[in-house]
Amino acid sequence: MTTPAPSATIRDLRESVRSGARSAVEICRETLARVSASDPALHAFHTVTADRALARAADLDRDRDRWRDAPLTGVPVAIKDNLCTRGVRTTAASKMLETFVPPYDATAVARLERAGAVVIGKTNCDEFAMGSSTENSAFGPTRNPWALDRTPGGSSGGSAAAVAARLAPLALGSDTGGSIRQPAALCGNVGLRPTYGTVSRYGVIAFASSLDQVGPVARNVRDCAYLYSIIAGRDLCDSTTVELPAPVALPEGGDLKGLRVGVPRELNEHEAIEPGVREAVQRAIELCRELGAEVGECSLPLSVEYGMPCYYLIAPAEASSNLARYDGVRFGHRASAHDRLEMYERTRDEGFGDEPKRRIMVGTYALSAGYYDAFYGQAQKVRTVLKREHDDAFERFDVLVSPTSPTVAFKLGARTDNPLAMYACDLMTIPSCLAGLPGLNVPCGLSEGLPVGLQVIGPQFSENTLFRVGRALELALGFDPVPPRLAR
Ligand code: GLN
């Protein structure tokens, strides 16, 4: 696979290093200075790896000939703190892993470093990626760079805030039920949930294994596609991965002639959608038509009605199994106790926050003997039905569009007392996750001065089509969302 040329933002950075106009160390210093100045107010980062990043940048500068043609030489990246980084604390925003230092890198991180990227730190997230606002972090919430009293969304809220606040041009997140797209929407970034199986989960702290995906967050569609091209593909360390059927094509922009765009009624007319969000999304859909696409209505009735209940059985069931490993014996937190049983109990009581505990209880119940068929088994069958409903829609349409989030960024604390209100944030993103499909968030306007995101969903392995649609829209909209605090 030939590596495509980098996009403007990354290209600027990379070209400046390649031509010798700037050193990787200079870029790294500048980035770290921005992080020190802005991050105390935002808390996008848990851990800033300043010394490691500077040492790495110095290595790149020293060995310029070797790194000259690498795709990301000297480009700073931020990594969600549920991806393992060798020698760097990786917490999944849980007290359980507060002191955990992994002995290896996640494959996605290793691929970025092999491409010449410089990891500048680990970003805040909801505990074990469970949440939609980053408020479930055991280390305090992240604030939205557009309005500091609002959440950046979640669970990859730190990654989205870091990119929106220009603390890093690129970041990695993970998406189980919407955790890349929803924060990207609330912060005004481009974010991709890739097709299940295209990006390795080796070294990703597991939440719900049949749903978890790693993906890119960037400032524009080309950078997002570029980052995806670097992390995607088969990995021998993760048997669920596949090789991409076609290389990633960096989108040039242009018209959308020949493209069939479906507008699922239930996802676009849902009562939870705020009027300002609806308007911005409708304008973007109209623009698809102006760009030459054929736009038509369709329906996903079962996906919207049963997606949430199905997800909130499957995800907690798998989470309860994945979190069973945190018992105080092998790694992470260990409580002091008189005997082994008490040690297990106290470790889990002290180490897990409320949301993981809630899901462990629901999930253990759903998997228990006598209930398995009625709950987990039944949810898996419903999931197959939802997948078929999407397959049917893709017989008539190449992509489906809707708001990514029914609302703009909400106030910190607004939903923390009501888990169901928090779960409802992912109404629009969950159905495609259950169906294993890729989805892209493209910023499409502002409502109440806050970013609105358009979600573009496609069949499996249709990332190139999503990038094409996203790029065409981003150019036609001419919208480069910059938080007011940063606009000069
Ligand atoms: N908000 C959803 C949840 O809490 C999705 C989280 C995610 O995608 N990691 O499960």
Side-chain angles (χ1 to χ4, degrees):
M1 191 171 116
T2 49
T3 309
S7 68
T9 314
I10 300 177
R11 189 195 291 138
D12 291 346
L13 281 168
R14 215 200 78 173
E15 282 312 309
S16 61
V17 176
R18 191 211 288 253
S19 66
R22 304 176 70 202
S23 67
V25 167
E26 268 171 59
I27 292 174
C28 186
R29 278 223 171 89
E30 224 177 77
T31 306
L32 291 169
R34 276 204 305 277
V35 172
S36 331
S38 303
D39 207 46
L42 290 175
H43 188 213
F45 287 88
H46 259 343
T47 305
V48 177
T49 49
D51 293 344
R52 187 179 183 271
L54 285 167
R56 159 88 174 152
D59 280 349
L60 298 175
D61 287 338
R62 204 170 308 121
D63 219 351
R64 275 220 2 236
D65 290 343
R66 175 168 161 227
W67 289 103
R68 191 182 310 275
D69 294 321
L72 286 178
T73 300
V75 177
V77 294
I79 308 288
K80 184 175 181 180
D81 206 22
N82 65 348
L83 283 108
C84 285
T85 37
R86 186 153 59 101
V88 175
R89 190 169 80 114
T90 299
T91 68
S94 180
K95 268 199 189 138
M96 194 60 103
L97 292 174
E98 194 166 1
T99 56
F100 173 58
V101 178
Y104 66 106
D105 279 319
T107 297
V109 174
R111 287 189 178 181
L112 290 183
E113 291 202 317
R114 227 179 295 144
V118 176
V119 172
I120 56 162
K122 305 297 295 286
T123 56
N124 196 18
C125 55
D126 286 295
E127 184 173 2
F128 289 105
M130 298 172 183
S132 306
S133 67
T134 316
E135 290 166 294
N136 290 336
S137 167
F139 311 116
T142 296
R143 290 165 186 276
N144 191 315
W146 288 79
L148 294 178
D149 59 346
R150 290 177 188 259
T151 94
S155 64
S156 312
S159 287
V163 171
R166 307 304 193 251
L167 304 185
L170 297 174
L172 288 184
S174 70
D175 187 310
T176 304
S179 279
I180 291 176
R181 287 160 289 165
Q182 185 258 14
L186 270 43
C187 290
N189 301 320
V190 176
L192 172 75
R193 173 196 171 86
T195 302
Y196 185 82
T198 57
V199 179
S200 172
R201 275 111 35 93
Y202 179 70
V204 180
I205 294 177
F207 162 13
S209 305
S210 74
L211 293 156
D212 296 343
Q213 271 302 281
V214 173
V217 181
R219 273 182 223 154
N220 61 56
V221 177
R222 276 175 68 92
D223 281 3
C224 181
Y226 192 62
L227 183 52
Y228 177 62
S229 74
I230 291 163
I231 58 175
R234 175 112 176 96
D235 173 22
L236 292 179
C237 296
D238 176 354
S239 61
T240 64
T241 53
V242 290
E243 209 50 79
L244 298 188
V248 175
L250 283 192
E252 294 299 339
D255 61 34
L256 292 178
K257 288 205 180 89
L259 192 88
R260 298 165 305 164
V261 176
V263 184
R265 209 172 304 123
E266 299 78 7
L267 282 178
N268 285 276
E269 289 169 16
H270 199 284
E271 60 188 17
I273 302 173
E274 292 173 349
V277 171
R278 190 188 309 257
E279 259 169 51
V281 167
Q282 275 172 358
R283 267 202 311 276
I285 296 174
E286 204 36 58
L287 201 52
C288 289
R289 210 190 297 270
E290 286 165 27
L291 288 165
E294 212 179 282
V295 179
E297 208 177 70
C298 64
S299 183
L300 293 172
L302 301 174
S303 300
V304 177
E305 183 165 0
Y306 297 112
M308 292 280 280
C310 182
Y311 175 88
Y312 277 100
L313 279 170
I314 292 175
E318 295 181 6
S320 73
S321 162
N322 276 323
L323 299 186
R325 73 191 68 175
Y326 303 105
D327 55 8
V329 176
R330 283 160 290 186
F331 38 66
H333 179 67
R334 173 186 286 193
S336 55
H338 298 297
D339 59 34
R340 188 167 36 95
L341 197 59
E342 190 192 341
M343 189 279 283
Y344 289 158
E345 284 177 1
R346 291 191 44 193
T347 295
R348 291 171 69 80
D349 183 33
E350 292 170 11
F352 290 130
D354 289 348
E355 191 58 31
K357 280 182 185 154
R358 188 174 294 125
R359 297 193 191 201
I360 289 168
M361 286 191 283
V362 171
T364 307
Y365 184 76
L367 289 178
S368 54
Y371 292 107
Y372 181 96
D373 288 338
F375 293 121
Y376 188 70
Q378 187 66 16
Q380 288 290 25
K381 286 185 199 152
V382 171
R383 185 174 185 176
T384 307
V385 173
L386 304 192
K387 163 95 177 60
R388 277 201 212 114
E389 191 173 76
H390 281 82
D391 289 345
D392 289 347
F394 288 125
E395 301 222 324
R396 288 177 50 214
F397 296 104
D398 301 306
V399 296
L400 303 177
V401 293
S402 74
T404 301
S405 158
T407 70
V408 291
F410 46 95
K411 290 246 164 83
L412 287 162
R415 297 182 187 219
T416 38
D417 293 336
N418 183 350
L420 290 180
M422 194 64 93
Y423 297 171
C425 296
D426 298 302
L427 207 63
M428 314 280 161
T429 49
I430 277 177
S432 54
C433 298
L434 290 165
L437 306 173
L440 183 73
N441 177 71
V442 187
C444 66
L446 297 178
S447 164
E448 302 164 41
L450 297 164
V452 176
L454 174 80
Q455 169 172 248
V456 191
I457 300 288
Q460 288 186 314
F461 307 110
S462 65
E463 277 81 355
N464 283 342
T465 308
L466 304 188
F467 295 142
R468 175 186 168 210
V469 176
R471 182 67 177 163
L473 278 176
E474 138 186 298
L475 290 175
L477 284 161
F479 175 53
D480 180 18
V482 183
R485 285 170 357 110
L486 300 177
R488 296 261 154 88

